[in-house]
Amino acid sequence: MQPADVMTRASDTAVAVVRAITPQDLDRPTPCPELTVRGVVNHLVLWTGVRGRACALKQPPEEVADDHDFTGDADWARLYAVRSAQTAAAWGDPVAWEGETSLTGAGSMPAPFVGGIVLCEWVLHAWDLAVATGQELTVDDDLAAAVYADVAGRAEIARRYGAFGPEVPVPATAPLFARTLGLSGRDPSWKRPA
C-alpha cells in the first residue's frame, strides 16, 4: 500500500482524537516532554491542517505564526477536522507525491519525504494526544505498516535534527505500531500522570 492510500485514514485517526479533547485536557502533560496537550494540538494543526495542504498543492505556506494558539479559536476542533480532511484529499492526488515541495517555504525536499512527514505527524501525534487524554487509539495494520516504513526510513536523520528522541527499546515481538513508537523515540507504555 502506498502512503497516498493511507492519508485519509491517518487524518481520520488524528481528527477522532482531537475531537474528543476537552478544555480540561489542554494543560495535561504529553509524551512530548516539552509540550502540553495544547502544545501538541497546536503543532498538529499547524503541520497537518495548515502547512500540510499547501505543500501537497506545491503552494507557499499560509502565513501563520509557529506559536499561534489554534485552541483559542472558536470551534477549533471542528475547523481542524475540515482542514485535516482537505490536507488528506490534497495528498490523495498522485501529483502531490511528484517532484519537490516545502513545508515551511524555506527550501524544498522530495515530495514523498514531505508527505511522509505529514503522515507521521498525524499518527504519532494522535497517539501522543490519545495517551495524554485517556483515549484508546486504534491504528489498522495498513496504516501501522505505512507509518513504520516511513519512521524506519527517516529515524536517524530525524534524531539528528531533534524531531525524534532516542530510540526506546521495544521487543521484536511487540505489535508493529508499538515498535514504530519506540523507533520514533516514544515509550509505548507511557501513562499520563494521575
Side-chain angles (χ1 to χ4, degrees):
M1 179 163 289
Q2 297 299 312
D5 299 330
V6 295
M7 297 304 259
T8 296
R9 281 192 248 178
S11 170
D12 291 348
T13 298
V15 166
V17 172
V18 165
R19 283 185 173 246
I21 293 172
T22 68
Q24 295 74 30
D25 290 326
L26 293 174
D27 293 321
R28 291 184 183 277
T30 71
C32 303
E34 69 285 0
L35 295 175
T36 62
V37 167
R38 182 188 320 273
V40 175
V41 165
N42 286 328
H43 176 88
L44 182 66
V45 174
L46 180 65
W47 294 105
T48 66
V50 177
R51 293 186 176 159
R53 179 174 180 268
C55 67
L57 298 173
K58 314 276 194 311
Q59 297 174 346
E62 186 176 326
E63 292 295 326
V64 177
D66 286 351
D67 63 352
H68 180 79
D69 183 9
F70 294 96
T71 65
D73 299 340
D75 209 10
W76 65 268
R78 185 192 64 78
L79 292 173
Y80 172 64
V82 170
R83 293 184 104 165
S84 184
Q86 290 171 340
T87 298
W91 281 104
D93 183 345
V95 173
W97 299 86
E98 297 173 358
E100 294 196 344
T101 191
S102 175
L103 267 170
T104 64
S108 293
M109 296 180 281
F113 186 85
V114 176
I117 291 172
V118 176
L119 172 67
C120 290
E121 289 284 322
W122 272 316
V123 180
L124 295 176
H125 288 313
W127 180 83
D128 295 331
L129 292 170
V131 295
T133 59
Q135 300 180 53
E136 290 292 325
L137 182 70
T138 301
V139 178
D140 68 54
D141 292 344
D142 289 336
L143 185 53
V147 176
Y148 180 84
D150 194 85
V151 168
R154 78 175 65 242
E156 290 310 314
I157 193 166
R159 268 190 262 292
R160 198 173 319 135
Y161 287 96
F164 290 169
E167 183 174 354
V168 175
V170 177
T173 56
L176 184 60
F177 188 61
R179 288 182 278 143
T180 304
L181 293 171
L183 193 56
S184 73
R186 291 164 168 81
D187 181 353
S189 63
W190 189 91
K191 302 284 186 224
R192 69 178 181 165

